[in-house]
Amino acid sequence: IRDRNNCEEIRTYGISALREADNADEVMLRNERITGIKVEAISGGKEAELLLRAVNGVVPLQSGSFLVANLGVGSVEITLLNN
């Protein structure tokens, strides 16, 4: 996928399940060893910020109020954006 889309950089983020895992460091190191891609464990706030950026790439959020919800396996992030 990376090669077909001419990606220069890949970022991977670990969210709720990784944040809460007792062996998070081990999982991240193993993933990097196998794939060569580093995983960054991020906060719920950072997760919500990235979700807003992704949604804004599809649905323009320039003016108005928006409620964006991310329902995951281990968490729910709800963000209210007032422009």
Side-chain angles (χ1 to χ4, degrees), residues 52-71:
L52 274 179
R53 289 175 56 190
V55 169
N56 193 40
V58 179
V59 178
L61 304 176
Q62 280 78 14
S63 63
S65 296
F66 301 90
L67 181 70
V68 179
N70 178 20
L71 175 60

Side-chain angles (χ1 to χ4, degrees), residues 25-82:
D25 290 337
E26 178 185 335
V27 170
M28 290 188 294
L29 286 172
R30 184 172 183 200
N31 181 75
E32 186 174 1
R33 194 170 50 250
I34 292 170
T35 67
I37 299 170
K38 185 176 181 176
V39 176
E40 178 186 349
I42 60 172
S43 68
K46 180 69 173 180
E47 184 178 352
E49 175 190 331
L50 292 171
L51 176 63
L52 274 179
R53 289 175 56 190
V55 169
N56 193 40
V58 179
V59 178
L61 304 176
Q62 280 78 14
S63 63
S65 296
F66 301 90
L67 181 70
V68 179
N70 178 20
L71 175 60
V73 174
S75 66
V76 176
E77 286 82 26
I78 299 174
T79 305
L80 176 62
L81 176 64
N82 289 310

